[in-house]
Amino acid sequence: MSERSALIRLTGNGSGECGQGDCPNVYRTATGSFLVQGEASDAFKPSTGEGLVEIPESVLREAFDALGW
């Protein structure tokens, strides 16, 4: 798991659901994978060691914009 300080925060610049707050957010790791922070969901039971989070569409759009996608 990456240290939080080593992550690139792609959202939370003020245009998303929480503005400058700490939720929900999308981060990019040094290896190019993504971490998603959001409200825990119980839509189904994930495999051991995995979890589900729910984030608004606006947060994903903000992350895509940050990446130029």
Side-chain angles (χ1 to χ4, degrees):
M1 182 65 77
S2 299
E3 290 290 325
R4 188 172 185 163
S5 62
L7 301 173
I8 299 168
R9 187 173 174 166
L10 300 175
T11 58
N13 64 11
S15 63
E17 294 286 314
C18 287
Q20 294 291 337
D22 200 29
C23 68
N25 281 297
V26 177
Y27 299 86
R28 192 159 199 185
T29 69
T31 62
S33 63
F34 298 91
L35 295 177
V36 179
Q37 176 186 2
E39 186 173 330
S41 174
D42 60 1
F44 66 88
K45 178 139 177 74
S47 301
T48 301
E50 295 182 349
L52 298 175
V53 297
E54 184 174 346
I55 62 170
E57 179 181 326
S58 61
V59 174
L60 286 178
R61 290 183 181 277
E62 186 180 351
F64 293 158
D65 287 345
L67 292 167
W69 293 359

